[in-house]
Amino acid sequence: MAALVCRGLCAAYGGREALHGVDFELPAGAFLAVVGPNGSGKSTLIKALLGLIKPSAGTVKLEEGVGRSGIGYMPQQSESRGDFPATVYETVISGRLGRLGLRPFYGRQDRREAEKNLRLMGLWELRTRAFRELSGGQRQRTLLARALCAADGMLVLDEPAAGLDAETQERMYSLLRDVNKKEGATVVMVTHDLVRGAAAATHVLELDGGQKYFGEAGLWPGRAQYGSGEK
Ligand SMILES: Nc1ncnc2c1ncn2[C@@H]1O[C@H](COP(=O)(O)OP(=O)(O)OP(=O)(O)O)[C@@H](O)[C@H]1O
């Protein structure tokens, strides 16, 4: 079963094309690394996937049953407010906001999910700490736990390991692999890290304004060029 299907996807800003002819089918449970140089259309693809921009041609479809509200999204660290006054727990459970509907308060299920994802990310001991007091790696784990609270089958991550030291990056990729395998979530991750990032993935989509490669990570020509890394 496909989690995500793009057919002839094109996107433009003010008539200028940013993405052209993207066409692939990602199996459910896959871990996709979206790679390519600056300006190659990676963020544009993510925006189209999240429904934030309308394709100028073609389609993006999610697996039946996974609506856009079922995507857990983790933005780039630079987009997340570092001075956010909330605690780690409050930040994580805010991932459930989209599911409250008409309910004014978090319910038992929301609290259970927040607790589960805090533990999964090794944040339980830090739950009462202020988000702004955290280290870069702890913040990234908090934002990942929040995205997990929002996710119903799919996680979309924009540079989840950017700005972290090599060891913390490796820890983040290993957490993502665990979430992908153990929780069965389909992961779509934009990364500039062609070695560790691409090695964590099962599939690679390489963009250069158009689609340069889509397929299994092990068969990606860039793998030989940039190093195979550890799987
Ligand atoms: N809001 C916008 N308005 C106009 N043009 C845009 C807008 N956002 C992106 N573009 C253009 O679309 C093209 C693709 O940009 P996009 O941000 O998708 O690339 P990217 O691969 O994510 O780049 P980076 O690696 O630098 O984040 C670029 O030429 C960019 O200048």
Side-chain angles (χ1 to χ4, degrees):
M1 192 171 44
L4 169 64
V5 182
C6 287
R7 290 286 173 238
L9 176 69
C10 302
Y13 299 99
R16 241 182 94 215
E17 198 159 71
L19 202 58
H20 180 80
V22 175
D23 202 283
F24 67 88
E25 196 170 314
L26 184 69
F31 185 154
L32 178 69
V34 182
V35 302
N38 293 124
S40 58
K42 302 181 298 294
S43 302
T44 303
L45 175 79
I46 297 300
K47 284 183 210 162
L49 173 56
L50 295 172
L52 301 175
I53 57 169
K54 226 175 138 220
S56 54
T59 54
V60 194
K61 282 211 176 108
L62 298 172
E63 179 187 323
E64 216 155 303
V66 178
R68 291 215 154 90
S69 59
I71 296 179
Y73 174 55
M74 178 174 165
Q76 272 185 25
Q77 168 88 329
S78 56
E79 291 169 27
S80 67
R81 296 275 305 278
D83 59 351
F84 204 49
T87 63
V88 169
Y89 178 81
E90 286 162 348
T91 306
V92 170
I93 202 168
S94 73
R96 302 288 295 179
L97 277 174
R99 293 163 185 258
L100 290 186
L102 294 174
R103 283 184 293 133
F105 302 111
Y106 295 119
R108 190 180 301 160
Q109 185 62 23
D110 302 316
R111 290 194 293 273
R112 209 177 285 148
E113 279 294 311
E115 183 176 329
K116 176 185 138 194
N117 291 316
L118 280 163
R119 289 189 193 281
L120 196 63
M121 292 297 120
L123 292 165
W124 184 247
E125 305 301 325
L126 295 178
R127 67 192 181 282
T128 57
R129 289 270 294 276
F131 180 78
R132 63 178 165 219
E133 289 171 8
L134 301 180
S135 70
Q138 290 166 342
R139 280 185 188 193
Q140 294 294 72
R141 278 189 281 136
T142 304
L143 296 176
L144 180 55
R146 181 177 69 166
L148 279 168
C149 274
D152 188 9
M154 184 176 282
L155 269 178
V156 175
L157 317 161
D158 203 345
E159 291 277 355
L164 304 178
D165 61 56
E167 198 179 312
T168 319
Q169 275 186 348
E170 198 41 72
R171 176 138 193 247
M172 175 54 81
Y173 291 130
S174 144
L175 277 171
L176 289 173
R177 277 195 299 265
D178 278 357
V179 166
N180 172 242
K181 279 197 190 131
K182 293 183 192 151
E183 305 283 305
T186 303
V187 178
V188 176
M189 171 181 80
V190 169
T191 182
H192 279 107
D193 185 347
L194 301 176
V195 181
R196 290 192 194 88
T202 60
H203 291 69
V204 169
L205 172 67
E206 186 177 5
L207 297 175
D208 60 359
Q211 179 171 317
K212 204 166 165 194
Y213 175 84
F214 172 78
E216 287 177 27
L219 302 176
W220 176 48
R223 187 176 162 92
Q225 193 176 342
Y226 301 110
S228 57
E230 280 288 308
K231 188 110 189 184

